[in-house]
Amino acid sequence: METSIGINIVVEENNLTVQQRNPKKSWKERVESMEKAWKDVFKTLLNDVFARQAFYISPCGKCGCKLPRFVIRCKTCSIFYCEDCDLKHHEKHLFHQRTLATATSSTCLLVHQFINAKGELFSKDISILCFKPEKCSNCDGQEQLEILPGDENIAVVNKDGRFDLKSAKFFCSYCKLVTKASIIDYICSGY
């Protein structure tokens, strides 16, 4: 016997006219149908988004301290940071994708934004990283130069996005001379 319930249904559908198979709905009915479908899947989609951005209480990936009510998540490093370790690490590793996560929100951090112990956002001038000259141009002192943030704003664009930094200047701790980094310094540093 080839007849089954499934085949009977198919046979019955084949006997229907096009009008009977797809009854025309009014615009209002179609909109209501779409709204109902959206409401049905919205909760599931929202839960999936929250699960992907879940706030995990885990120790800092650098120092191991217990993290308070917030955590800095670096996607580039794949590590959770406390506020101190984040500042120490990311003032030298500029082009990382960092996010401040709390139990109720998630905020992308710019290259110059950091968090204090209270969980408040603050800005710090971050200079573009440059190779230091071998010696001071004034006193020929070697190993005496520090890189400090300059006064000019510089935008660096790379594969990870745009990063707004400060220019670099070199400070000689021996003779106290401050020299602005030149375009040649930036080019020699790979920019």
Side-chain angles (χ1 to χ4, degrees), residues 19-35:
Q19 185 71 21
Q20 290 171 322
R21 270 191 235 150
N22 297 324
K24 292 257 183 187
K25 291 183 180 179
S26 70
W27 178 83
K28 181 180 178 184
E29 291 171 325
R30 288 193 310 266
V31 169
E32 288 172 350
S33 172
M34 290 300 288
E35 285 178 354

Side-chain angles (χ1 to χ4, degrees), residues 162-181:
R162 176 189 165 133
F163 299 88
D164 295 319
L165 303 167
K166 289 292 188 176
S167 60
K169 60 184 176 183
F170 307 113
F171 172 71
C172 178
S173 57
Y174 183 73
C175 72
K176 310 295 185 218
L177 177 71
V178 176
T179 310
K180 288 172 53 174

Side-chain angles (χ1 to χ4, degrees), residues 6 67 75 77 115 124 136 145-146 160 171 178 190:
L67 298 173
K75 290 182 182 179
C77 298
I115 311 303
K124 179 179 181 183
C136 175
L145 294 173
E146 290 180 52
D160 297 319
F171 172 71
V178 176

Side-chain angles (χ1 to χ4, degrees), residues 90-91 93-96 98 109-114 124-127 162-166:
H90 288 107
E91 66 183 353
H93 298 88
L94 310 177
F95 307 120
H96 286 199
R98 301 177 305 127
L109 297 175
L110 299 175
V111 70
H112 60 86
Q113 292 179 319
F114 295 94
K124 179 179 181 183
D125 286 342
I126 302 293
S127 73
R162 176 189 165 133
F163 299 88
D164 295 319
L165 303 167
K166 289 292 188 176

Side-chain angles (χ1 to χ4, degrees), residues 12-25:
E12 289 174 19
E13 275 188 15
N14 286 337
N15 292 332
L16 296 175
T17 65
V18 174
Q19 185 71 21
Q20 290 171 322
R21 270 191 235 150
N22 297 324
K24 292 257 183 187
K25 291 183 180 179

Side-chain angles (χ1 to χ4, degrees), residues 57-81:
I57 306 258
S58 64
C60 173
K62 285 284 187 183
C63 69
C65 73
K66 184 179 177 190
L67 298 173
R69 331 171 295 281
F70 59 89
V71 61
I72 296 104
R73 179 185 316 188
C74 180
K75 290 182 182 179
T76 310
C77 298
S78 297
I79 292 180
F80 294 112
Y81 287 98

